[in-house]
Amino acid sequence: MKEEGTDKAWYCLRTQTKREHIAAASLRQQEGIEVICPRLRYKKVTRRGKIWWVEPLFPGYVLARFNLEQQERLVAHCNGVTHILKFGASYPTVPQLFIDALVEELSQKGEEDEIISVTPTVAAGDEVEIAHGPLQGMSGEVLEVLPAQDRVRIFIEFL
């Protein structure tokens, strides 16, 4: 049986704009805190031509595992963190199933430092089938390819 107040859970943390990597590094320096800050690496067309671009999978957010009762103030005041995501008086936890799937994906495709390189091979109207995860085997049509801000909205709705 676990002692009172020793339970750790995964929480979603809001970060300062474009400072997710700084918040993650600051949190990693604290004892007993695990952090996941997945980033996407893709080619982007600019006026200078195609360049490799890196952006967070969930802009403005990182995931951290810690004891809320004991480390809430420490986490909330880390460099780059604005607050722990909260709905009313409740702090939603990120399901372990989601974390496990994300870590598995990062370990399989991640080249370095939680970076996943992607190539845009899907466009609106394409037929797709989900190959891995809880929805494996389901198929459908791509309605649109969402920008980063909409990925965050979908993640928050998931919580």
Side-chain angles (χ1 to χ4, degrees), residues 19-142:
R19 294 176 58 100
E20 299 86 359
H21 61 289
I22 293 170
S26 178
L27 288 163
R28 284 186 180 111
Q29 291 176 351
Q30 306 303 319
E31 189 174 329
I33 299 176
E34 296 174 58
V35 181
I36 298 177
C37 180
R39 296 181 294 165
L40 296 175
R41 181 176 182 254
Y42 61 95
K43 281 197 176 181
K44 186 175 184 176
V45 179
T46 66
R47 286 183 280 179
R48 296 179 294 159
K50 288 185 179 180
I51 60 168
W52 282 102
W53 191 262
V54 177
E55 72 175 19
L57 180 61
F58 305 115
Y61 296 90
V62 296
L63 304 172
R65 183 174 180 258
F66 59 94
N67 181 300
L68 183 66
E69 186 178 306
Q70 294 175 354
Q71 297 173 306
E72 177 182 1
R73 288 180 54 94
L74 173 69
V75 169
H77 292 94
C78 268
N79 190 17
V81 175
T82 59
H83 61 273
I84 303 169
L85 188 66
K86 183 177 178 181
F87 298 132
S90 155
Y91 294 96
T93 59
V94 179
Q96 188 63 45
L97 183 64
F98 177 79
I99 296 296
D100 292 343
L102 184 60
V103 168
E104 176 74 21
E105 188 72 19
L106 288 171
S107 66
Q108 286 180 1
K109 296 193 179 186
E111 295 173 1
E112 59 186 75
D113 197 30
E114 300 177 326
I115 295 178
I116 301 172
S117 293
V118 293
T119 54
T121 57
V122 179
D126 289 352
E127 288 290 323
V128 295
E129 181 177 332
I130 299 174
H132 301 285
L135 302 176
Q136 181 176 352
M138 297 187 78
S139 60
E141 181 181 328
V142 175

